């Protein structure tokens, strides 16, 4: 038997372990709760809209640092109190100058703020102060406070006469990038406004002591037509206002600024850019616009007119207040001269045409002397020598000139210099013109150079080569000009070249220069042309052969009988062989337009001949010797010159019927002649047309030739000769027999029967009435059209109507003496209520235009073939037996009417 041993446990029981662990956990929780416990503060607001207990947070740079636990009203102070539990980590920042405000969504014309609160709700913003005095009760702000002075960046002051549209939050821009914003503004005394601005630290280096701030708010409109300015900085500046930072190039190296630096706010960008003031007295403010007119020097903008004020003097002058670019300060000297540059139209031409759109501007000539900032404007610009290298020459002349300063100087249509000044010489009787020739063109000068004034129109161009305006039309219309040439060889030694100030004579025109200087007169051979009038031919007009200039017009005068004009011409030396006894000349001046419905043809010799006049030359056959001693006739155009040997017809008409000079004569649709003259005869009743015809068809015009006027004809089938509606009537003819003839009387209307017999078989049908037949009505055989009606007239007894019919040549064999003809015009309706209705016609065309059908018997009844002019009787309707001759079917349109039986008539 085993005896149990009892041992005594001397330690703590295991069961006490659990209570100890629970006690430890509770102690840790108490310690952790104490350690992380927040700080309760009270914030008073005038309006608690958007604040919700247990939801609204205090946010610092987007991180929650507190929570509103309770919201209660404070009726005594007309406020509400928000009890906020702040994180313990925020305790040290709860000092005397810490600021709180409510951030709500805000949308206005000036700003858009707090958009993030639309979804998350309003929250309380915090700006930590710098004080060391702790505080637990705060007064909340109505809006966000300005950036603290301790915030990195630049804190500047800008002074302005007025606030304008600038407000808290207005952006500060540099090259349209926002670099800062307005923090607050306040009155500084009674004369100015102080605006506090914060510049972000990353943009602080952009602000220097020489920087300038200008108002860029909204839209700025200045000037008047044509100089009308609209300035808009940006959409943000348009809505919220804006301030623009600008550092002039010459101020880019000035020192950086520190916090608290003060600047002046300029009203606009121009005022900020141009800061040096000056004044200019003008007789009138015409063409000068405040805020728009520029001060320009050699194409560079040096300033602008800020405003214009009326002076209190006897002449009531005006003063232009100008702001200059700082770089132009050197011009403020006693001898500087100012004048106005504007478009001018005068008898001498049009000057400064480009300023019609950009507007007038003020320019100047820099001078020396003492400092001066007030000037009187000159009425005319002073003489100015170009800056580029060159040489000055003097031209002397007697008569008035159409040139002025800045007029170009040309050599072979290339500008090689310009006019500096035009003035009277010392005697007051002559004119002294100063020229400046550019350095690179001085080698073109010699002591024998000849100068003349451009006048008239000289166009060296063609429609195929393009437009090349020389000194003639362009220089004269715009500003006049001077041209020169140097006859002979140009000098190689400098001693043979004219020096500075060398004097030449200035001729009034090239013609005068040629007449005075033999070396300018071209070599060649002279001849004469006899023209009915001078038209647009002028001295210098070209003589062209195959569109190449081979000579020119030297002059013109009346013939001894004073009925024509004798044109003196010169053919150049290298082209003398082109003018001989077979040559023909024609006028190439102006434009010639011809054509029909198939197109329009525009023809001209050259652009030069269109504008300046010209004479063309052709040689239809080889010739011998040189130009004739007697004058050549001048033909009206190239066609007249080519057809100079063509035949001429005389056609008498009762009336013009739309004909005119240039109307054509046609045969089988081809143009074979043209009316070259159209006038009344001496009896004033008949019109006499002179028609030129081609030589190869002259044999067609004989005693019995018929001529008539073709005009547009309207009928149901359309319009015949439609082109005459646009280009007028024309003459047509049928060849005749007999001896040759050149005088004819036009028929009153086309010879229908003769036309019919000319191409096919012409027949005459006699009928009791015309019915619906007309010219062009068809003639059918077996319902196939084999001819048409060409005309009609009353018989000599006036009891019958004669209808002329043309049967085409290929169908002539159908017609014989036994043929029968009847009308199938319109529609034939037969029947009754019980028998039905039959509608019959030859064709739809016959319904509209009328028509004729025919049938020809077989065998002996057929008879002999019908000849031209054979007469037949036209019946109103067909006999039944005629229809059986060839199975002719009349009915082509059968429609049942009222559900009765429809009959077909054969």
């Amino acid at each position: 038997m085993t005896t149990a041993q009892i041992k005594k446990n001397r330690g703590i029981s295991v069961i006490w372990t659990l209570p100890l662990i629970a006690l430890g956990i509770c102690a840790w929780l108490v310690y952790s709760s104490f350690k992380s416990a927040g700080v309760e503060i009270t914030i008073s607001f005038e309006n608690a809209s958007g604040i919700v207990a247990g939801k609204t947070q205090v946010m610092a740079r987007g991180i929650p640092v507190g929570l509103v636990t309770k919201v209660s009203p404070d009726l005594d102070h007309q406020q509400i109190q928000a009890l906020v539990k702040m994180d313990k980590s925020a305790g040290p920042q709860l000092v005397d100058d810490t600021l709180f405000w409510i951030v709500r969504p805000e949308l206005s014309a000036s700003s858009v703020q707090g958009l993030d609160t639309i979804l998350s709700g309003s929250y309380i913003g915090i700006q930590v102060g710098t004080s060391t005095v702790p505080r637990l009760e705060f007064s909340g702000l109505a809006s966000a406070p300005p950036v603290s002075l301790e915030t990195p960046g630049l804190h500047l002051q800008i002074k302005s006469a007025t606030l304008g549209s600038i407000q808290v939050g207005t952006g500060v821009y540099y090259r349209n990038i926002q670099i800062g914003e307005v923090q607050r503004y306040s009155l500084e005394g009674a004369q100015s406004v102080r605006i506090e601005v914060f510049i972000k630290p990353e943009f602080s280096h952009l602000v220097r002591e020489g920087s300038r701030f200008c108002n860029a708010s909204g839209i700025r409109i200045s000037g008047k037509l044509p100089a009308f300015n609209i300035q808009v900085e940006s959409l943000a500046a348009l809505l919220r206002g804006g301030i623009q930072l600008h550092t002039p190039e010459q101020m880019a190296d000035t020192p950086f600024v520190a916090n608290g630096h003060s600047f002046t706010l300029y009203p606009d960008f121009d005022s900020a850019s141009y800061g040096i003031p000056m004044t200019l007295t003008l007789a009138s403010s015409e063409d000068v616009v405040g805020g728009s007119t520029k001060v320009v020097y050699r194409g560079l903008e040096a300033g602008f007119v800020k405003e214009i004020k009326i002076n209190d003097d006897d002449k009531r002058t005006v003063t232009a207040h100008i702001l200059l670019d700082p770089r132009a300060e050197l011009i403020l000297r006693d001898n500087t001269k100012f004048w106005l540059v504007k478009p001018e139209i005068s008898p001498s031409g049009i000057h400064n045409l480009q300023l019609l759109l950009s507007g007038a501007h003020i320019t100047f000539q820099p001078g020396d002397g003492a400092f001066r900032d007030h000037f009187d404007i000159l009425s005319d610009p002073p003489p100015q020598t170009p800056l580029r290298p060159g040489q000055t020459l003097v031209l002397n002349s007697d008569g008035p000139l159409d040139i002025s300063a800045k007029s170009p100087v040309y050599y072979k249509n290339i500008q090689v210099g310009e006019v500096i000044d035009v003035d009277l010489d010392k005697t007051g009787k002559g004119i002294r013109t100063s020229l400046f020739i550019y350095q690179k063109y001085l080698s073109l000068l010699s002591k024998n150079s000849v100068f003349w004034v451009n006048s008239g129109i000289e166009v060296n161009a063609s429609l195929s080569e393009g437009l090349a305006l020389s000194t003639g039309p362009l220089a004269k219309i715009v500003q006049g000009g001077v041209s020169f040439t140097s006859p002979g060889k140009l000098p190689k030694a400098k001693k043979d070249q004219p020096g500075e100030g060398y004097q030449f004579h200035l001729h009034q025109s090239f013609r005068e220069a040629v007449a005075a200087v033999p070396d300018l007169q071209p070599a060649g051979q002279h001849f004469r042309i006899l023209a009915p009038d001078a038209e647009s031919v002028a001295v210098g007009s070209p003589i062209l052969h195959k569109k190449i200039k081979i000579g020119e017009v030297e002059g013109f005068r009346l013939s001894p009988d004073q009925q024509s004009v004798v044109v003196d011409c010169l053919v150049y030396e290298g082209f003398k062989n082109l003018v001989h006894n077979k040559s023909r000349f024609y006028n190439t001046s102006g434009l010639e337009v011809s054509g029909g419905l198939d197109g329009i043809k525009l023809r001209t010799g050259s652009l030069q001949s269109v504008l300046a006049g010209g004479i063309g030359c052709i040689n239809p056959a080889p010739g011998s010797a040189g130009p004739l001693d007697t004058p050549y006739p001048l033909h009206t155009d190239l066609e007249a010159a080519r057809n100079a040997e063509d035949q001429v017809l005389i056609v008498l008409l009762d009336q013009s019927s739309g004909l005119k000079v240039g109307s054509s004569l046609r045969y089988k649709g081809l143009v074979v002649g043209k009316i070259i003259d159209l006038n009344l005869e001496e009896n004033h009743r008949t019109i006499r047309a002179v028609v030129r015809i081609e030589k190869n068809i002259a044999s067609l015009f004989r005693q019995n030739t018929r001529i008539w006027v073709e005009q547009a004809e309207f009928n149901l089938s359309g319009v015949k000769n439609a082109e005459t509606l646009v280009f007028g009537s024309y003459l047509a003819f049928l060849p005749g027999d007999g001896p040759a003839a050149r005088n004819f009387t036009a028929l009153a209307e086309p010879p229908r029967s003769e036309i019919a017999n000319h191409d096919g078989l012409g027949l005459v049908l006699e009928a009791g009435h015309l019915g619906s037949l007309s010219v062009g009505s068809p003639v059918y055989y077996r319902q196939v059209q084999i001819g048409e009606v060409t005309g009609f007239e009353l018989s000599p007894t006036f009891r019958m109507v004669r209808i002329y019919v043309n049967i085409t040549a290929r169908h002539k064999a159908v017609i014989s003496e036994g043929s029968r003809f009847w009308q199938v015009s319109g529609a034939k309706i037969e029947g009754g209520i019980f028998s039905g209705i039959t509608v019959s016609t030859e064709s739809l065309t016959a319904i509209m235009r009328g028509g004729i059908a025919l049938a020809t018997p077989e065998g002996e009844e057929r008879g002999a073939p019908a000849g031209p002019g054979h007469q037949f009787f036209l019946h109103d309707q067909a006999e039944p037996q005629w229809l059986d001759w060839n199975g002719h079917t009349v009915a082509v349109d059968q429609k049942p009417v009222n559900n009765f039986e429809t009959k077909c008539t054969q």
Side-chain angles (χ1 to χ4, degrees), residues 477-551:
I477 293 174
V478 178
Q479 56 185 162
V482 174
S483 288
F484 77 92
T485 187
S486 299
K489 295 183 179 179
L490 293 174
K492 295 183 179 179
K494 292 185 178 180
K495 64 179 182 179
D496 295 329
Q497 292 182 336
E500 179 74 19
Y502 194 87
Q503 297 189 13
F504 294 89
H505 178 73
L506 178 62
H507 299 279
Q508 291 288 335
S509 64
F510 178 72
R511 180 181 179 186
E512 180 183 301
V514 171
V517 182
D519 290 340
L520 294 182
Q521 298 172 2
Q525 193 164 354
H526 301 275
F527 63 98
R528 293 170 295 161
I529 293 175
L530 191 64
D533 52 58
E535 292 190 351
S536 58
V537 176
V539 174
S541 295
I543 297 175
L544 305 171
H545 179 76
K546 297 184 181 297
K547 296 187 179 181
I548 296 176
K549 185 176 180 180
I550 64 171

Side-chain angles (χ1 to χ4, degrees), residues 185-451:
Y185 54 84
S186 61
L187 282 173
E188 189 172 71
Q191 302 298 324
S192 63
V193 177
R194 183 178 64 186
I195 304 171
E196 297 182 15
V197 171
F198 171 71
I199 305 297
K200 299 176 183 177
E202 63 268 28
F203 300 112
S204 298
H205 66 282
L206 299 175
V207 185
R208 297 177 177 266
E209 291 183 359
S211 298
R212 297 174 182 179
F213 290 87
C214 62
N215 195 329
S217 304
I219 300 176
R220 177 174 175 265
I221 301 175
S222 62
K224 62 183 181 180
L225 291 176
F228 195 73
N229 297 327
I230 300 178
Q231 297 180 356
V232 180
E233 178 62 25
S234 66
L235 183 59
L238 181 62
L239 296 176
R240 304 180 56 189
I243 296 176
Q244 183 177 1
L245 170 65
H246 170 63
T247 303
E249 183 179 351
Q250 61 273 18
M251 301 293 183
D253 295 330
T254 55
F256 297 105
V257 299
N259 284 341
H261 194 90
S262 181
F263 291 92
T264 298
L265 182 65
Y266 290 89
D268 50 49
F269 180 79
D270 290 337
S271 299
S273 300
Y274 304 95
I276 300 178
M278 64 159 284
T279 55
L280 186 64
T281 299
L282 305 93
S284 169
S285 63
E286 183 180 3
D287 298 316
V288 179
V289 182
S292 176
T293 300
K294 306 298 182 183
V295 179
V296 179
Y297 180 68
R298 298 188 183 276
L300 297 176
E301 188 174 321
F304 75 102
V305 176
K306 180 63 177 176
E307 61 179 343
I308 299 175
K309 294 183 179 180
I310 300 177
N311 298 325
D312 187 14
D313 55 15
D314 295 338
K315 296 182 180 180
R316 291 295 187 268
T317 58
V318 297
T319 296
H321 293 260
I322 296 173
L323 290 177
L324 290 178
D325 190 307
R327 293 172 294 181
E329 184 179 7
L330 294 176
I331 73 171
L332 299 179
R333 298 294 181 266
D334 190 58
N335 293 322
T336 299
K337 297 178 175 60
F338 292 84
W339 65 94
L340 187 65
V341 180
K342 61 182 180 179
E344 295 180 356
I345 301 177
S346 65
S348 62
I350 302 176
H351 304 272
N352 304 316
L353 186 62
Q354 72 278 8
L355 299 182
L356 286 174
L357 295 178
S358 61
H361 65 258
I362 297 171
T363 190
F364 57 86
Q365 184 181 48
D368 53 9
F371 176 82
R372 182 181 177 186
D373 61 1
H374 178 76
F375 300 87
D376 293 328
I377 197 165
L378 300 178
S379 57
D380 296 304
Q384 298 180 80
T385 301
L387 295 179
R388 61 193 297 181
Q391 181 176 306
T392 302
L393 303 176
V394 177
L395 307 181
N396 297 312
S397 57
D398 299 327
L401 301 177
D402 291 333
I403 57 175
S404 60
K406 296 296 182 181
S407 292
V409 178
Y410 288 103
Y411 181 85
K412 293 186 177 179
N413 294 332
I414 297 176
Q415 185 174 354
V416 298
E418 59 188 82
V419 176
I420 300 175
D421 187 34
V422 180
D423 202 355
L424 293 174
D425 60 15
K426 294 181 180 180
T427 65
K429 297 180 180 180
I431 296 178
R432 178 185 174 91
T433 302
S434 299
L435 300 183
F436 185 84
I437 304 299
Y438 306 140
Q439 180 72 37
K440 65 180 294 187
Y441 301 113
L442 290 178
S443 60
L444 301 175
L445 290 168
S446 73
K447 293 182 179 179
N448 295 325
S449 295
V450 181
F451 292 81

Side-chain angles (χ1 to χ4, degrees), residues 30-31 82 94 103 130 279 322 349 354 517 521 526 636 700 750 842:
V30 170
Y31 174 77
L94 299 174
V103 180
T130 59
T279 55
I322 296 173
Q354 72 278 8
V517 182
Q521 298 172 2
H526 301 275
T636 56
L700 297 179
E842 189 69 17

Side-chain angles (χ1 to χ4, degrees), residues 5 25 148 163 240 326 451 752 852 882:
Q5 294 182 357
I25 293 174
S148 173
L163 184 62
R240 304 180 56 189
F451 292 81
R752 308 294 184 183
I852 297 173
W882 301 347

